[in-house]
Amino acid sequence: MELLLAPEGEVVAEHPATLTYRVFSVLFLVLPGAALLALSTQLGPNDADARIPMIVFGILPLALGVLAILQQNKSKVVLRADGVERWGLRGKLWALRFAEMPQLHYRVMKVRLGGLLGLVLPALGTNYHLGFTEPSGKKRTIPANLKSMEILAERVVEQHTTSHFAAARKQIDAGEEVRFGKSVAVDREKLSVKKLFGGMKSCPLAEIEKFVVQNGALRVRQRGKLMNFASIYTAQIPNVFLLLKLLDSLLAQKTALGEDRDFAGQAYVG
């Protein structure tokens, strides 16, 4: 098996973990554990049988809380010009170059209140989920609780897409098909997507009226058709940004598209 080279490019940014998990560790592990230990010291000589379990159940959450805080103090992602490094309590956990990541998985979710309030009130926050697949098929993920996660996601997407675009476009120009998971494939003549009950359906590139990303789904409109040719959640499409860039470059040659198509990262909201 070929060994993967660690990224050696210039450090672009470092994104440490937020304080969220450390605060939770203090509130739900450290403080309860310390309280149990404090109570155990207040027991009299006749309560020896109760003291030992209380000490055990106090030390356990306290130790877990301290360990979690130490881990979060070391947790970070280092973004380099040619790849990503993941750091944790044991030092560097893994490192990958963008050119050696066959697949980038990207998903964004808005955090909302439940019920009717969630429909009318603004979202409480946004969670970005980034993952990679190594050539061996092994999965790697970036923690969602990093500072400036939106900026990190944009930079990773841009650098990964740029790294793979030239090779993918060359493959299409050679008459080959580029696949994006099991759901989507594109060549220099058509876009193919998976049908609901199996198989693939195709739309010639020259007949694509527009494509847009809205509310976490890629929607493709075919000229002369009432319904969308395709509507697929972007979380189901590996390298979805590469697909959109390829479509943009191919359709520029096939047909004139309107100015209203949108495939910006902020539109990827599930």
Side-chain angles (χ1 to χ4, degrees), residues 22-34:
R22 277 167 279 192
V23 172
F24 286 164
S25 297
V26 171
L27 292 177
F28 299 111
L29 291 173
V30 175
L31 291 180

Side-chain angles (χ1 to χ4, degrees), residues 12-41:
V12 176
E14 292 189 9
H15 294 263
T18 63
L19 295 175
T20 304
Y21 288 175
R22 277 167 279 192
V23 172
F24 286 164
S25 297
V26 171
L27 292 177
F28 299 111
L29 291 173
V30 175
L31 291 180
L36 284 174
L37 290 177
L39 287 175
S40 69
T41 63

Side-chain angles (χ1 to χ4, degrees), residues 106 183-184 214-219 230-238 240 268-270:
Y106 184 96
S183 301
V184 182
Q214 292 178 334
N215 298 324
L218 169 63
R219 308 185 194 280
S231 182
I232 309 171
Y233 284 112
T234 54
Q236 301 174 356
I237 308 175
V240 63
Y268 286 70
V269 179

Side-chain angles (χ1 to χ4, degrees), residues 3-134:
L3 294 177
L4 300 180
L5 298 176
E8 299 177 345
E10 179 183 356
V11 174
V12 176
E14 292 189 9
H15 294 263
T18 63
L19 295 175
T20 304
Y21 288 175
R22 277 167 279 192
V23 172
F24 286 164
S25 297
V26 171
L27 292 177
F28 299 111
L29 291 173
V30 175
L31 291 180
L36 284 174
L37 290 177
L39 287 175
S40 69
T41 63
Q42 304 300 317
L43 298 178
N46 297 329
D47 298 318
D49 292 340
R51 182 182 294 110
I52 294 177
M54 191 172 291
I55 291 175
V56 171
F57 286 109
I59 290 177
L60 184 60
L62 180 61
L64 290 176
V66 171
L67 183 63
I69 292 171
L70 293 175
Q71 190 276 334
Q72 287 295 292
N73 286 340
K74 297 291 186 180
S75 179
K76 67 177 180 179
V77 164
V78 177
L79 180 64
R80 291 184 177 271
D82 59 342
V84 177
E85 297 173 356
R86 170 78 171 95
W87 292 75
L89 189 59
R90 295 179 285 109
K92 186 188 295 186
L93 303 179
W94 53 264
L96 288 173
R97 293 189 177 189
F98 291 117
E100 295 175 343
M101 299 175 185
Q103 293 185 350
L104 167 66
H105 304 272
Y106 184 96
R107 183 166 60 95
V108 177
M109 294 186 65
K110 289 287 187 182
V111 180
R112 299 182 183 276
L113 292 174
L116 295 176
L117 288 177
L119 300 177
V120 296
L121 295 179
L124 300 177
T126 304
N127 288 337
Y128 293 83
H129 301 273
L130 289 171
F132 309 105
T133 301
E134 293 185 1

